[in-house]
Amino acid sequence: MKIDHIGIQVNNISESVDYYKEYGSEVIHQDDTWAFLQFDNIKLALVLEDEHPYHIAFESEYVDGKRHRDGSVSKYIEDPSGNKIEIIKYENKK
């Protein structure tokens, strides 16, 4: 598996997107509850506390989980210290 993205909690999605765009990110997706940004080497998910957990995501070819609006399938698990880990698969990945 490889690290796909890191999810961090922010107070304001739009404000945070503008901030990270100054560091060269491109917006993959943005709405009122989360944004997905692409950097050269990794993606960054900006999430609101009440909508999504902060997490690290690993991409896998095999995931039995929840289907999302972008076509991905994922599930959340916890490591031994209680950190959230998302295992994600992109159905439409080329």
Side-chain angles (χ1 to χ4, degrees):
M1 284 193 285
K2 70 173 189 169
I3 294 175
D4 181 68
H5 67 272
I6 305 292
I8 62 172
Q9 290 180 345
V10 298
N11 297 324
N12 181 294
I13 298 295
S14 294
E15 179 180 74
S16 297
V17 166
D18 290 343
Y19 176 82
Y20 284 104
K21 282 171 54 177
E22 291 182 21
Y23 290 94
S25 71
E26 293 182 26
V27 178
I28 298 171
H29 175 84
Q30 180 180 350
D31 65 26
D32 293 337
T33 67
W34 71 287
F36 211 27
L37 307 178
Q38 178 70 59
F39 288 86
D40 287 341
N41 61 337
I42 197 165
K43 292 177 277 201
L44 179 66
L46 306 176
V47 301
L48 297 178
E49 181 177 10
D50 295 339
E51 298 289 331
H52 306 278
Y54 60 89
H55 61 278
I56 184 169
F58 295 95
E59 186 176 353
S60 175
E61 292 184 23
Y62 308 102
V63 178
D64 181 23
K66 178 182 176 184
R67 183 168 303 281
H68 302 287
R69 59 188 150 200
D70 66 357
S72 65
V73 176
S74 74
K75 68 177 179 178
Y76 285 95
I77 59 174
E78 291 185 358
D79 73 6
S81 297
N83 295 301
K84 300 287 187 229
I85 297 174
E86 182 180 22
I87 308 298
I88 191 165
K89 176 184 178 186
Y90 295 100
E91 296 285 327
N92 301 323
K93 188 171 182 176
K94 297 174 185 170

